[in-house]
Amino acid sequence: MVAPIGSNPSALTSQRGLNDTRESQNRLLGQIASGKRIDKAAADAAGSAIVERFAAQIAGADRAARNLSDGISLAQTAEGAVSTVQDNTSRIRELTVQAGNGTLNAGDRQAIQQEIDALSQSNDDTLRNANFNGQPLFQGGSLSFQAGADAGDQVSVSLGNLASAGIGRVDVSSAASATAALGQLDDQLGTLSDTRATLGAVNSRFESAIGQLQSRSENLSAARSRINDTDYAAASTDLAAQNIRAQADVAVQAQANANSRQVLSLLRA
């Protein structure tokens, strides 16, 4: 069928193709410039939603790792306090054994009692005042940590109420009372050892959890990159192809316009 002289279907078709090609070129240039394949949701709605979920998980995992790092610092601070109290209590036990000597006179016992009382007061002060960022460590209760990106990823740490335990308080006014106090001191030293073991376990647990969170963050970052980042080789190849198409569309449009002008010139002649 002969097209009407007043229309130019070939030119219109080539113009539409050129517009599509220009749009593809702009999209590819944007991807290459930004480094992102999905620079807006319209580019890939499903991929954009996945990328945003990954971003939230990555940020949550990174923040949780920092939370657990604070937990490690707390455990180390608490262990330092317990270590001091344990050393003092060991010294108190040594003095108590000394006080079990029946040859000591009243003055000797008084000197020993004074040192024990001073060490006991130091233990009380240490356990009562021990805190991390204003949070008391040995006065009962527990501290919770958001240990992951999701709502259920929480862990709690409880160090007991050592502040009211009277760690190290003994009476050595006589050899009999000193001997009787040894069992009490052994129990107290056992409690302190158990607390240090708990703190060591907390430290190890948090270090392991941090490693897992870092691995998760790395894996999610790699997955997000595969979805969201520009494949420069593919984008450059596609852009070159679009440039060729654009040149072809321009050439076709020029030819179509030239044909129309030739027909019109013949009619005028």
Side-chain angles (χ1 to χ4, degrees):
M1 182 179 70
V2 178
I5 296 175
S7 66
N8 193 341
S10 298
L12 293 175
T13 300
S14 63
Q15 180 62 49
R16 184 170 63 252
L18 182 61
N19 290 338
D20 292 341
T21 300
R22 294 298 188 200
E23 183 177 346
S24 295
Q25 286 176 314
N26 291 335
R27 174 178 56 80
L28 290 166
L29 287 171
Q31 291 177 357
I32 292 173
S34 67
K36 297 183 181 299
R37 184 182 70 85
I38 307 174
D39 54 355
K40 54 185 178 181
D44 184 346
S48 177
I50 294 172
V51 165
E52 291 302 319
R53 286 198 298 271
F54 281 176
Q57 288 289 312
I58 292 167
D62 291 344
R63 180 65 263 181
R66 290 193 289 272
N67 289 349
L68 294 179
S69 292
D70 290 341
I72 290 175
S73 297
L74 179 147
Q76 292 172 341
T77 299
E79 186 177 4
V82 173
S83 177
T84 298
V85 172
Q86 196 171 33
D87 290 343
N88 288 346
T89 305
S90 294
R91 174 58 180 165
I92 291 171
R93 191 184 191 286
E94 179 185 351
L95 292 170
T96 302
V97 171
Q98 180 183 357
N101 186 348
T103 64
L104 298 179
N105 59 37
D108 296 332
R109 293 189 182 284
Q110 183 179 6
I112 293 173
Q113 186 69 63
Q114 286 177 343
E115 184 176 354
I116 288 176
D117 290 345
L119 291 171
S120 296
Q121 186 61 53
S122 175
N123 286 347
D124 286 347
D125 292 342
T126 298
L127 295 174
R128 185 176 62 254
N129 297 325
N131 71 87
F132 184 82
N133 194 33
Q135 300 293 326
L137 298 177
F138 302 110
Q139 298 184 28
S142 62
L143 297 174
S144 295
F145 295 86
Q146 183 65 33
D150 299 320
D153 298 334
Q154 287 189 325
V155 295
S156 295
V157 176
S158 177
L159 304 179
N161 192 3
L162 296 180
S164 63
I167 299 294
R169 290 188 176 277
V170 298
D171 174 21
V172 294
S173 58
S174 67
S177 63
T179 300
L182 290 175
Q184 171 191 347
L185 288 169
D186 286 340
D187 290 342
Q188 292 173 352
L189 286 170
T191 298
L192 293 170
S193 294
D194 290 344
T195 300
R196 289 192 72 176
T198 297
L199 290 168
V202 168
N203 191 88
S204 297
R205 178 184 180 185
F206 282 5
E207 286 180 348
S208 176
I210 288 172
Q212 293 175 1
L213 287 168
Q214 290 173 339
S215 177
R216 175 175 172 78
S217 179
E218 291 169 3
N219 291 334
L220 287 173
S221 295
R224 181 181 64 172
S225 176
R226 285 191 291 270
I227 296 171
N228 191 46
D229 291 354
T230 298
D231 182 340
Y232 280 94
S236 298
T237 300
D238 198 2
L239 181 60
Q242 295 298 335
N243 288 339
I244 293 172
R245 291 191 184 97
Q247 293 171 7
D249 288 334
V250 170
V252 169
Q253 189 174 34
Q255 184 62 46
N257 290 333
N259 290 339
S260 295
R261 287 195 296 271
Q262 289 173 358
V263 171
L264 291 174
S265 65
L266 290 173
L267 290 176
R268 286 195 295 270

